[in-house]
Amino acid sequence: MLSIDTIIGRPIYTQLYWQIRQKIMSGEWIVNAKLPSSRQLANDLQISRNTVEQAYQQLCAEGYLYSKSRQGYYVGKLEGPFINQNACNTSSTVNNNISCSNEKDQYRYDFRYGKLDYKYVPSKIWKKLMIQCFEEEVDKNVSYGEPQGEIGLREQIMKYVEEYRGVKCQPEQIVIGAGTLHCLGLLCNILRQFTSTVAFEDPGYGKTRAVLHNAGFQVCPISVESDGINVQELANSEALAVYVTPSHQFPTGAIMSISKRLQLLEWAVRKQAIIIEDDYSCHLRYNVRPIPALQGISPMANVVYFGNFSKPLLPSLRIAFMILPPSLLNVYKTLYRTYNTSVPYLYQRTLERFMEEGYWNRHLRRVLQVYKKKHECLMQSLKEQFCDLIAIHGNNAGLFITIKVNSHLFETDLIQRAAGYGVRVYPVSEHWQRIYKYDRKTVLLGYSSLDLEEIKQAVRLLRKAWFD
Amino acid sequence: MLSIDTIIGRPIYTQLYWQIRQKIMSGEWIVNAKLPSSRQLANDLQISRNTVEQAYQQLCAEGYLYSKSRQGYYVGKLEGPFINQNACNTSSTVNNNISCSNEKDQYRYDFRYGKLDYKYVPSKIWKKLMIQCFEEEVDKNVSYGEPQGEIGLREQIMKYVEEYRGVKCQPEQIVIGAGTLHCLGLLCNILRQFTSTVAFEDPGYGKTRAVLHNAGFQVCPISVESDGINVQELANSEALAVYVTPSHQFPTGAIMSISKRLQLLEWAVRKQAIIIEDDYSCHLRYNVRPIPALQGISPMANVVYFGNFSKPLLPSLRIAFMILPPSLLNVYKTLYRTYNTSVPYLYQRTLERFMEEGYWNRHLRRVLQVYKKKHECLMQSLKEQFCDLIAIHGNNAGLFITIKVNSHLFETDLIQRAAGYGVRVYPVSEHWQRIYKYDRKTVLLGYSSLDLEEIKQAVRLLRKAWFD
């Protein structure tokens, strides 16, 4: 579909020209397809017919279209490696921003995973510390800073992960980067030296799987059981590296048992393989103390530990870190000898001070309470509204749950019906690699940005959407 | 060499343990090598003998060392894929930070390329705008923001590159990322769909070459002539992509002639190949107007344009951008559909306002004058001190020059002798791929962080170092 946005201030002619060009380049509009008449398109988009004609003629001149006299305009034949690469994936291409904004308006309650409640972001303190750091070190802002991240921040991270997660490391092992996906991208080049196959939980976090896939790795799916990844299946695979989320498996919510942990570590030691431990929401366990990380259990296993500050603190910070085992440090140093850091100096210093002065610990304690309440409220509401019509997975931790709905409805129906009531819930299918193993009856609900009243309302609407 | 830092607050025992372990894991200390006696090491490092013994014994217990009674400690035998990966590159591993700080103290004048003069950083305005943006949009900081970068900033960048560089694009083509190397890393996954070989200027910018190399590409060296890359040599190669720096070749300073530009574009169209145009210091031309970018010349060629805000504005910002040709947009969207941005929302908004309110244009005009004066001063001083004892390359643009010294001294001698006088100059060798083609008599001088008096002093010292 073509669309025109009159707010963004770009000429209508230009918008139209680009959208059509894009649809042709992408293969969405195939060769010899007939375009709508300029009259019809002008009508549909509520723009002038002259504008449409102008765009059509420009595209003709450039060879994207051809015209037949008295019949109209048709898509021309384009060839070469850049044409029609991903015809299936093009609908969101040019008018990405426009469709996004429409989507937002459509929903009253958005169970988006990863969006936080801004009321609990320590903005005032952050601002105070940021200005302090800025004023104290104006001259430092002109240099690139430490490539691996500022040493002061790395020392704070070392203390924090040891205390909270039982992770044992030195600051030399810590690499600070602009988000988990960025750090994982750096790790990919290290992994490339050892293996071309990486095992991955299935279902597993679609975003991190995409990073491995994009970097050219063969991603080998391994089943997830109620206590974590199936280590036997892993051992039977060719993989010499595996990505896992032991503290709260994404998206099943499984917590890896200690026996699984030991099996997994034993596998890593035996095969001299690499474990990528993504501890993405380790802080948020609502009934018991967080279980210590894999990384701290055996110094003999090569565990790369991932942590981040987005979910508990502020997604827009773009600060995450990975902790390399000593065995990979040299490869890291060799590959990244000349790289600059990807995180602004000021943000690193502000975060360092935020941790040093105790705000980080205080913040973690606070959000634990906040999200625990939201979690309880969601669980309670779901039980009240649905009783045994649904099965809930991943309770007592993190910022999302998944629910399997016992009805004839499939994932897409569930999402669409919820949307009809102004509630946005999310598919689980994109986190499956072997999609045929998925029952297609489960949706994901992230509850961190909604308040208690909104959660209750939204769940009531879900009940109506799915069972009335 | 082992070293102990008493300032950083980590136990001496731990520091020693880690450094020794690292040297063994890295292969720097080979199997059966004898360690210094605990008495001797304690003496050397001025620490207690007990501490050394404690570290040695721990390492024995873990199998890194073994001891022979009355003879001392030896390096144990370790095997596996993680051992001895890059034995040549280990000296900087553990005590990286310590050695860095020593290096800094050693130099009175540092011709480091890329470091700016903090007197000309618009800190006050930046701070004002940053606080404004922070206060106006506290709630926006809790979301991840637009994956490709905020649309407002992309619109500002579009206007700027069109006006300054003749680059033609739509905001949809612009990807904002945490530095040029990060953006290039994203591009690598796109290139991977088309080719496994990328042609690269030789000599060329070592940092960007490393990104391609790390991502698994075969990097094919192509000679550089006085008017840019040798297109004939490129055409004879297998490469379907090439990295070039047309506006100021790194490190030769060559400016690509228009006939070369047209040849290069013709090659790209004919082979449907991709040109990566890194316009890294396009703003700084001191005698003529900047030459428009390759990107704007032919819409038929696939040019990926790279620009950044580090060099002219503030390295620690970590904001760069790439502009994709329409033909690559779909591959980008497919690969990066689920990625988050790598640049903090606040920084993007601040930069947007900085550009929107005219500060960026004003800043560019100002630094052009500032660095022009420094450049002239350096050229003048070099001519006065050296006459025809040196040949200068890359004049009249950018933030560095290279000088070839007509004497019996080689690059390493030149650097060492300069260091003896407290002046740091930089090797060119790391920018060569076919190192045998390099005369080894050239060094690189970045002059942006030194003031006029410092430049004059430093050049006087260089004369002494090299010819007295």
Side-chain angles (χ1 to χ4, degrees):
Chain A
M1 224 196 73
L2 300 169
S3 61
I4 296 299
D5 189 329
T6 52
I7 300 159
I8 55 176
R10 263 175 298 140
I12 291 169
Y13 157 76
T14 316
Q15 292 186 46
L16 196 58
Y17 165 87
W18 273 89
Q19 288 185 40
I20 295 173
R21 180 172 155 162
Q22 189 52 37
K23 291 206 180 286
I24 295 169
M25 292 294 275
S26 69
E28 189 181 352
W29 287 6
I30 57 173
V31 60
N32 298 330
K34 188 167 192 280
L35 271 78
S37 74
S38 55
R39 184 193 305 269
Q40 188 196 326
L41 188 58
N43 243 329
D44 288 354
L45 297 177
Q46 293 289 300
I47 58 178
S48 107
R49 195 176 159 189
N50 265 352
T51 307
V52 179
E53 270 296 329
Q54 196 191 350
Y56 277 7
Q57 281 170 18
Q58 178 64 32
L59 289 158
C60 263
E62 295 182 21
Y64 291 97
L65 302 180
Y66 64 92
S67 66
K68 290 188 194 171
S69 109
R70 300 187 194 204
Q71 293 188 48
Y73 292 89
Y74 296 82
V75 175
K77 193 173 179 190
L78 300 176
E79 279 176 345
F82 302 116
I83 309 301
N84 197 6
Q85 283 298 328
N86 294 281
C88 58
N89 236 303
T90 53
S91 56
S92 66
T93 321
V94 160
N95 48 10
N96 194 29
N97 299 305
I98 299 160
S99 63
C100 274
S101 60
N102 289 344
E103 270 176 7
K104 272 175 206 153
D105 299 335
Q106 192 185 331
Y107 297 103
R108 282 168 63 200
Y109 305 108
D110 188 349
F111 280 106
R112 179 183 292 273
Y113 168 61
K115 196 177 171 190
L116 299 186
D117 192 332
Y118 75 91
K119 290 193 295 297
Y120 302 102
V121 169
S123 297
K124 274 191 193 159
I125 291 158
W126 185 267
K127 185 179 135 192
K128 188 187 84 179
L129 298 178
M130 187 170 67
I131 294 172
Q132 272 178 17
C133 291
F134 193 93
E135 286 173 349
E136 286 171 19
E137 302 192 296
V138 169
D139 59 324
K140 280 289 187 71
N141 269 312
V142 303
S143 68
Y144 285 95
E146 293 272 341
Q148 237 178 285
E150 294 306 312
I151 185 72
L153 177 56
R154 285 187 277 143
E155 302 220 8
Q156 289 298 327
I157 290 172
M158 175 185 72
K159 285 180 203 159
Y160 145 64
V161 291
E162 175 151 26
E163 190 187 326
Y164 267 77
R165 309 297 303 129
V167 167
K168 294 181 184 72
C169 72
Q170 292 293 306
E172 289 82 0
Q173 294 171 258
I174 301 175
V175 178
I176 292 164
T180 298
L181 303 191
H182 174 71
C183 288
L184 186 58
L186 295 177
L187 181 65
C188 280
N189 290 332
I190 298 176
L191 295 178
R192 206 186 298 287
Q193 319 289 317
F194 303 105
T195 182
S196 58
T197 308
V198 179
F200 204 92
E201 298 167 332
D202 191 29
Y205 194 37
K207 290 192 179 198
T208 42
R209 189 198 288 118
V211 175
L212 294 164
H213 180 80
N214 289 346
F217 288 95
Q218 181 141 9
V219 180
C220 173
I222 308 288
S223 304
V224 176
E225 298 162 324
S226 63
D227 65 343
I229 196 165
N230 184 325
V231 178
Q232 194 52 52
E233 206 177 307
L234 173 64
N236 293 338
S237 80
E238 298 283 297
L240 286 177
V242 64
Y243 169 94
V244 286
T245 47
S247 65
H248 188 229
Q249 204 274 333
F250 194 101
T252 69
I255 294 157
M256 196 182 286
S257 65
I258 185 67
S259 76
K260 268 278 163 76
R261 284 171 197 247
L262 293 175
Q263 284 171 39
L264 187 61
L265 289 164
E266 191 273 329
W267 166 82
V269 172
R270 183 162 41 83
K271 292 234 186 159
Q272 297 203 292
I274 298 167
I275 297 172
I276 306 164
E277 176 179 27
D278 189 352
D279 213 14
Y280 67 102
S281 71
C282 54
H283 323 83
L284 301 164
R285 285 217 66 77
Y286 306 129
N287 52 352
V288 294
R289 273 185 62 84
I291 295 166
L294 266 178
Q295 196 269 8
I297 299 176
S298 164
M300 294 303 288
N302 293 296
V303 179
V304 185
Y305 177 92
F306 278 78
N308 77 80
F309 295 94
S310 301
K311 293 289 186 314
L313 182 54
L314 210 54
S316 74
L317 274 192
R318 314 312 302 127
I319 306 185
F321 58 92
M322 65 175 170
I323 302 178
L324 296 166
S327 57
L328 297 183
L329 273 184
N330 280 313
V331 189
Y332 174 84
K333 295 272 180 186
T334 307
L335 295 183
Y336 297 117
R337 194 174 53 88
T338 58
Y339 279 50
N340 303 316
T341 177
S342 54
V343 181
Y345 179 81
L346 177 63
Y347 269 41
Q348 293 191 51
R349 293 292 282 169
T350 306
L351 181 56
E352 179 187 336
R353 197 164 289 188
F354 189 82
M355 296 177 88
E356 199 175 11
E357 298 188 1
Y359 294 113
W360 172 239
N361 282 342
R362 216 172 305 166
H363 176 71
L364 286 180
R365 282 196 298 274
R366 186 177 184 212
V367 291
L368 186 68
Q369 292 314 311
V370 169
Y371 294 122
K372 185 180 180 181
K373 275 198 191 119
K374 294 189 184 207
H375 176 80
E376 284 167 356
C377 171
L378 177 61
M379 298 294 280
Q380 182 70 25
S381 304
L382 286 170
K383 276 171 197 157
E384 279 170 23
Q385 292 293 326
F386 290 97
C387 297
D388 54 359
L389 295 171
I390 59 168
I392 302 170
H393 294 283
N395 41 340
N396 286 320
L399 296 173
F400 72 89
I401 58 165
T402 59
I403 53 180
K404 180 177 174 178
V405 182
N406 301 323
S407 79
H408 65 286
L409 299 173
F410 287 98
E411 183 189 273
T412 42
D413 309 317
L414 295 166
I415 291 168
Q416 271 177 16
R417 288 199 181 200
Y421 282 81
V423 182
R424 188 166 193 185
V425 298
Y426 288 82
V428 171
S429 51
E430 64 188 50
H431 303 294
W432 280 89
Q433 196 172 351
R434 296 167 301 183
I435 191 77
Y436 56 88
K437 292 206 166 197
Y438 167 46
D439 60 28
R440 293 176 186 267
K441 292 188 175 271
T442 305
V443 289
L444 189 143
L445 277 63
Y447 48 83
S448 41
S449 71
L450 302 176
D451 66 27
L452 303 184
E453 205 42 56
E454 288 172 328
I455 290 173
K456 287 179 200 165
Q457 282 290 350
V459 172
R460 264 181 233 128
L461 291 171
L462 286 179
R463 163 81 208 212
K464 281 190 189 163
W466 295 337
F467 287 99
D468 278 3
Chain B
M1 225 196 75
L2 301 170
S3 62
I4 297 297
D5 188 329
T6 52
I7 300 161
I8 56 176
R10 264 175 298 142
I12 291 169
Y13 158 75
T14 315
Q15 293 185 45
L16 195 59
Y17 165 87
W18 273 90
Q19 288 185 39
I20 296 173
R21 179 172 156 162
Q22 188 53 36
K23 293 207 180 284
I24 295 168
M25 292 294 274
S26 69
E28 189 181 350
W29 287 6
I30 56 172
V31 60
N32 298 329
K34 189 170 193 278
L35 271 77
S37 73
S38 55
R39 183 193 303 269
Q40 187 195 327
L41 188 57
N43 243 328
D44 288 354
L45 298 177
Q46 293 289 300
I47 58 179
S48 107
R49 195 176 159 188
N50 264 353
T51 307
V52 179
E53 270 296 330
Q54 195 189 352
Y56 278 5
Q57 281 170 18
Q58 178 64 31
L59 289 158
C60 264
E62 295 182 21
Y64 292 97
L65 301 179
Y66 63 92
S67 67
K68 290 187 194 171
S69 109
R70 299 187 193 204
Q71 293 187 48
Y73 292 89
Y74 297 82
V75 175
K77 193 175 181 190
L78 301 177
E79 280 176 344
F82 303 115
I83 310 301
N84 197 5
Q85 283 298 327
N86 293 280
C88 57
N89 236 301
T90 54
S91 55
S92 64
T93 321
V94 161
N95 47 10
N96 194 28
N97 300 306
I98 300 161
S99 63
C100 273
S101 60
N102 288 344
E103 270 177 6
K104 271 177 208 155
D105 299 334
Q106 190 184 331
Y107 297 103
R108 283 168 63 202
Y109 305 108
D110 188 349
F111 280 106
R112 179 184 293 272
Y113 168 61
K115 195 176 173 193
L116 299 186
D117 191 333
Y118 75 90
K119 291 193 295 298
Y120 302 103
V121 169
S123 297
K124 274 189 194 161
I125 291 158
W126 185 267
K127 184 178 137 194
K128 188 188 83 179
L129 298 178
M130 188 170 68
I131 293 171
Q132 271 178 18
C133 291
F134 192 93
E135 286 173 350
E136 287 170 19
E137 302 191 296
V138 169
D139 58 326
K140 280 289 187 71
N141 269 313
V142 303
S143 67
Y144 283 96
E146 292 272 342
Q148 236 178 286
E150 294 306 313
I151 184 72
L153 177 56
R154 285 188 277 144
E155 302 220 5
Q156 289 298 327
I157 288 173
M158 175 185 73
K159 285 181 204 158
Y160 144 65
V161 291
E162 175 152 24
E163 188 187 327
Y164 266 78
R165 310 295 304 129
V167 168
K168 294 180 185 73
C169 71
Q170 292 292 307
E172 288 83 358
Q173 293 171 258
I174 301 175
V175 177
I176 293 165
T180 297
L181 303 191
H182 174 71
C183 288
L184 186 59
L186 295 178
L187 181 65
C188 280
N189 290 332
I190 297 176
L191 294 178
R192 206 187 297 287
Q193 318 289 316
F194 303 105
T195 182
S196 58
T197 307
V198 179
F200 204 92
E201 297 167 333
D202 191 30
Y205 194 37
K207 291 191 178 198
T208 41
R209 189 197 290 119
V211 175
L212 294 164
H213 180 79
N214 289 347
F217 288 95
Q218 180 141 10
V219 180
C220 173
I222 308 288
S223 303
V224 176
E225 297 162 325
S226 62
D227 64 344
I229 197 166
N230 184 326
V231 178
Q232 194 51 51
E233 207 177 307
L234 173 65
N236 293 337
S237 79
E238 298 283 297
L240 287 177
V242 64
Y243 170 93
V244 286
T245 47
S247 65
H248 188 228
Q249 205 275 333
F250 194 102
T252 68
I255 295 157
M256 195 183 285
S257 64
I258 184 67
S259 75
K260 268 280 163 74
R261 284 170 197 247
L262 293 174
Q263 284 171 40
L264 186 61
L265 289 164
E266 191 274 329
W267 166 83
V269 172
R270 184 162 41 83
K271 293 235 186 156
Q272 296 202 292
I274 298 168
I275 298 172
I276 306 164
E277 176 178 27
D278 188 351
D279 213 13
Y280 67 102
S281 72
C282 55
H283 325 81
L284 301 164
R285 285 217 66 78
Y286 305 129
N287 52 353
V288 292
R289 272 183 63 83
I291 296 167
L294 266 178
Q295 196 268 8
I297 299 177
S298 163
M300 295 301 288
N302 293 296
V303 179
V304 184
Y305 177 92
F306 278 78
N308 76 80
F309 295 95
S310 302
K311 293 290 185 314
L313 183 56
L314 210 54
S316 74
L317 275 191
R318 315 313 302 128
I319 307 184
F321 59 92
M322 65 175 170
I323 301 177
L324 295 166
S327 56
L328 297 183
L329 273 184
N330 280 312
V331 188
Y332 174 83
K333 294 272 181 187
T334 307
L335 294 182
Y336 297 117
R337 195 173 53 87
T338 58
Y339 280 50
N340 304 316
T341 178
S342 54
V343 180
Y345 180 80
L346 178 63
Y347 269 41
Q348 293 192 51
R349 294 291 283 167
T350 307
L351 182 56
E352 179 188 335
R353 196 164 290 188
F354 189 81
M355 296 177 88
E356 198 175 11
E357 299 190 359
Y359 295 114
W360 171 240
N361 282 342
R362 215 172 305 166
H363 176 71
L364 286 181
R365 283 195 298 274
R366 186 176 183 212
V367 291
L368 185 69
Q369 292 312 313
V370 168
Y371 293 122
K372 184 181 182 181
K373 275 199 191 116
K374 294 190 184 205
H375 177 80
E376 284 168 356
C377 171
L378 177 61
M379 298 295 280
Q380 182 70 25
S381 303
L382 287 170
K383 275 171 199 159
E384 278 172 21
Q385 291 294 324
F386 289 98
C387 298
D388 55 359
L389 295 171
I390 59 169
I392 303 170
H393 294 283
N395 40 342
N396 286 320
L399 296 173
F400 71 88
I401 58 166
T402 59
I403 52 181
K404 180 176 174 180
V405 182
N406 301 323
S407 80
H408 64 288
L409 299 173
F410 287 99
E411 183 189 272
T412 43
D413 309 316
L414 294 167
I415 291 168
Q416 272 177 16
R417 288 199 181 200
Y421 281 82
V423 183
R424 189 166 193 185
V425 297
Y426 287 82
V428 171
S429 52
E430 63 189 50
H431 302 294
W432 279 90
Q433 196 172 350
R434 296 167 300 183
I435 191 78
Y436 56 88
K437 292 207 167 197
Y438 167 45
D439 60 28
R440 292 175 186 267
K441 291 189 175 269
T442 305
V443 289
L444 188 143
L445 276 63
Y447 47 82
S448 42
S449 71
L450 301 177
D451 65 29
L452 302 184
E453 205 41 56
E454 288 172 329
I455 289 173
K456 286 178 200 166
Q457 282 290 350
V459 172
R460 264 181 232 128
L461 291 170
L462 286 180
R463 162 81 207 212
K464 280 189 191 165
W466 295 338
F467 287 99
D468 277 4

